[in-house]
Amino acid sequence: MEIRSIRGMNDILPEASIQWKNIRQTMAEVLECYGFREILVPVLEETRLFKRGIGETTDIVEKEMYTFEDRSGQSLTLRPEATASIVRAYVQHHLYQSGKVEKFYFWGPMFRYERPQKGRFRQFYQIDVEAFGSNDPSLDVDIIASLYHFLDTLSVPNVTIEINSLGCPACRPAYQKALKDYFSAVRDNLCGDCKNRLVRNPLRILDCKVPSCHELVLKAPDIQNFLCDSCRNHYGTVRNTLERLSIPYRTNPRMVRGLDYYVQTAFEAVSENLGAQSAVAGGGRYDGLVQQLGGPDIPGIGYAMGMERLAMILEDMSQPLSWKCDLFIAALGEEARRFSIDLAAKLRGEGKICEFSYDNKGLKAQMKLANRLGARFALIVGEDELQKKQVVLRNMRTREQTTLPINNTLSEKLKSNLSI
Ligand code: ATP
Ligand code: MG
């Protein structure tokens, strides 16, 4: 019987992964300009890291984690996000002792037991960006600017960055109380989950995707009216600086993000092209998290971006990218095959994408293969040609042919032809 992949866990085939590679290259180029450096963390962590780091009342911890016991009976979880793991690494390796703001980026798979649908999977990939060591609004701006710069470099269409301030432990309780009062009065119209959230964490209701709850959310109290002076100033400076740098954004006073650890700045990049799963990226400031996970009281801020959603938007708008093959070597006869294997090794060693046929078919079949591989050039090495110490280079698009002598300048000549 055929064995298939697990529901919600996809293979990313080469046709699609070429787009992903482009995204990852742009990621490194853009983020490194801002001083972010790559960090890699394990796929598995102790379950308590996520419980403590993400928050017991979040959807992720309540119902989305892949948690199991390993052979020694320890409870482990496949990471549902990267922030908690990166904070753990930051604390574990005492990276805060460096005396500077530490900035990281990361790329890898995440696991959440959600209902698979368009833009929502059980294994999905995120790009993750985190910075530790400053509460200054200029770091918030750097983070948001890097997100904008990244999306802009990829020419992602129709995205808007939405921002909000979620207050801090000093001013949020009053807002939470106002929310509780407001939603208690309309409790009967809330969905089952939100009735629960009303007791445990009313802020979560703002995040509910059920349409009837969403209606109520639109008229809920506005957090702007509850911010303390320090949060209001911080938010004001973030917005002013974004404007000065011409980074387009929109404020959304009801965006709270799904995780417990955010304070002050929260933001999302949303796209009209994505339908219901409209968020491409989301993040915010998490000043208490490092301490909560056993480190010193050091502020942090970051965001995560969904690769599948990003690739989906790019796929809709762009020409499909295709893999390129610089040269296909068509060899006829044993001696020619030996010659082509050696020549391919040489050209590959010099950075050219080179292919040849793995079987002994005729010229027609080999030229067909050259087309299938998308080769720009084909080099025809026949028995006659070898005798005459020459090969024929064919431009596959124009069909123009040139004869080149076989001598020690051949690979140089080929390389200069291929780089045109
Ligand atoms: P959503 O509100 O869509 O559930 P979220 O708030 O749970 O998103 P985060 O935890 O902030 O998402 O993750 C950041 C990004 O990761 C999202 O904006 C999205 O692009 C992507 N993402 C999150 N969950 C999934 C999933 N199950 N499948 C694919 N991408 C996802
Ligand atoms: Mg979610």
Side-chain angles (χ1 to χ4, degrees), residues 294-305:
D297 184 12
I298 289 176
I301 177 166
Y303 60 88
M305 180 155 17

Side-chain angles (χ1 to χ4, degrees), residues 156-208:
V156 180
N158 309 325
V159 267
T160 312
I161 293 183
E162 294 191 342
I163 68 171
N164 192 18
S165 175
L166 302 181
C168 67
C171 55
R172 201 187 301 166
Y175 179 58
Q176 259 165 324
K177 174 156 190 318
L179 281 182
K180 202 164 200 161
D181 292 345
Y182 168 79
F183 285 116
S184 296
V186 293
R187 185 176 182 280
D188 290 348
N189 302 328
L190 292 172
C191 73
D193 274 348
C194 282
K195 286 196 175 97
N196 219 342
R197 291 173 180 135
L198 185 56
V199 184
R200 304 186 64 187
N201 191 346
L203 212 64
R204 280 282 82 74
I205 301 176
L206 301 189
D207 227 18
C208 184

Side-chain angles (χ1 to χ4, degrees), residues 112 114 119-121 124 126 209 257 279-282 304 306 309:
R112 297 185 193 175
E114 301 198 71
R120 196 175 289 291
F121 310 103
F124 60 98
Q126 278 185 343
K209 296 192 173 78
R257 312 276 312 117
V280 194
R309 293 189 197 174

Side-chain angles (χ1 to χ4, degrees), residues 325-346:
C325 168
D326 294 318
L327 182 72
F328 177 84
I329 308 175
L332 297 163
E334 271 317 301
E335 201 189 332
R337 290 196 68 188
R338 258 196 311 278
F339 174 86
S340 67
I341 289 167
D342 297 354
L343 182 62
K346 190 151 200 286

Side-chain angles (χ1 to χ4, degrees), residues 113-133:
Y113 196 80
E114 301 198 71
R115 195 170 67 80
Q117 56 198 286
K118 185 178 175 221
R120 196 175 289 291
F121 310 103
R122 289 183 171 173
Q123 171 169 334
F124 60 98
Y125 289 74
Q126 278 185 343
I127 289 171
D128 199 72
V129 176
E130 312 287 351
F132 302 94

